[in-house]
Amino acid sequence: WVVTLHYHEWAPALASERPELLERLLQDWIRSCAPERAGALPLAWNPYAIATRIPNWIRAWQRAAIGAAFRSEFLRSLWRQAAFLAANLEWDLRANHLLRDAVGLAWAGRFFGHAAWQRTACELAGSQAQEQLLPDGLHFELSPMYHDHALRDFEQLAVLLPEVSELPAALRRMRAAAQWL
């Protein structure tokens, strides 16, 4: 549950409603959850948490007028998180974790114009579309919940990485399987 709190799913909505509170909370998070602080790595700096948090931070950035005083700190932290993610892809867990890592890198790559992150996200998206989908379009973990999560991740990747040729067919199959479910 603690790792889930580090996804910052509240950030985009807060950016629209209370941008000054968003800044205070993110400044506090950056100070309190620096990776060199005891206990931060397995929780706040868990690659899955980072890959989930990156899109939320970017959506918040797009919705809020981040103040000039906080802007560079925000961008430095976002860059640091993306660089950490790129160096710590979850090859050990694979499956939905590796797929989510691709989503985080795709968002960060687009936002920062970082070609290497974009390339890695493209490679992961294509390979995981082939590896994680069964011929009938179901996600290979055979869980409706995981299927839904993977479908949403593949949908984001299709928008962020239109050059990945495997994604349109994968999405058609996944959507058909979701309707069946």
Side-chain angles (χ1 to χ4, degrees):
W1 176 247
V2 173
V3 172
T4 304
L5 294 174
H6 289 285
Y7 296 172
H8 293 182
E9 291 177 330
W10 44 265
L14 196 58
S16 299
E17 298 169 21
R18 299 274 314 276
E20 72 290 344
L21 179 58
L22 172 73
E23 283 190 32
R24 281 201 324 266
L25 291 173
L26 292 183
Q27 282 175 325
D28 182 64
W29 183 88
I30 290 168
R31 280 191 299 276
S32 301
C33 297
E36 50 278 349
R37 290 191 58 129
L41 279 177
L43 301 171
W45 289 79
N46 170 299
Y48 190 89
I50 294 171
T52 305
R53 185 169 54 246
I54 286 172
N56 290 323
W57 276 38
I58 293 172
R59 286 184 188 107
W61 171 270
Q62 293 168 337
R63 292 180 185 180
I66 302 289
F70 180 53
R71 192 172 295 134
S72 62
E73 184 180 5
F74 176 93
L75 293 172
R76 269 193 314 275
S77 179
L78 185 58
W79 178 276
R80 187 178 190 191
Q81 293 173 60
F84 185 92
L85 175 62
N88 293 279
L89 297 174
E90 296 174 278
W91 290 106
D92 56 331
L93 296 174
R94 301 187 68 86
N96 65 305
H97 285 255
L98 199 53
L99 181 60
R100 182 62 56 91
D101 294 350
V103 171
L105 282 181
W107 275 88
R110 284 270 183 218
F111 185 78
F112 287 111
H114 195 287
W117 294 343
Q118 283 291 110
R119 267 192 312 278
T120 301
C122 285
E123 291 166 8
L124 287 172
S127 69
Q128 294 310 297
Q130 293 174 2
E131 181 176 319
Q132 294 194 30
L133 298 184
L134 299 173
D136 62 3
L138 286 172
H139 186 258
F140 73 159
E141 293 193 45
L142 299 177
S143 159
M145 180 191 73
Y146 277 116
H147 184 87
D148 183 58
H149 286 292
L151 174 58
R152 283 186 274 143
D153 285 346
F154 279 121
E155 287 173 337
Q156 289 185 71
L157 290 168
V159 171
L160 293 165
L161 309 170
E163 63 273 27
V164 179
S165 62
E166 294 88 350
L167 294 178
L171 283 172
R172 278 192 299 278
R173 290 180 18 238
M174 289 189 81
R175 288 175 179 141
Q179 285 180 330
W180 176 81
L181 286 173

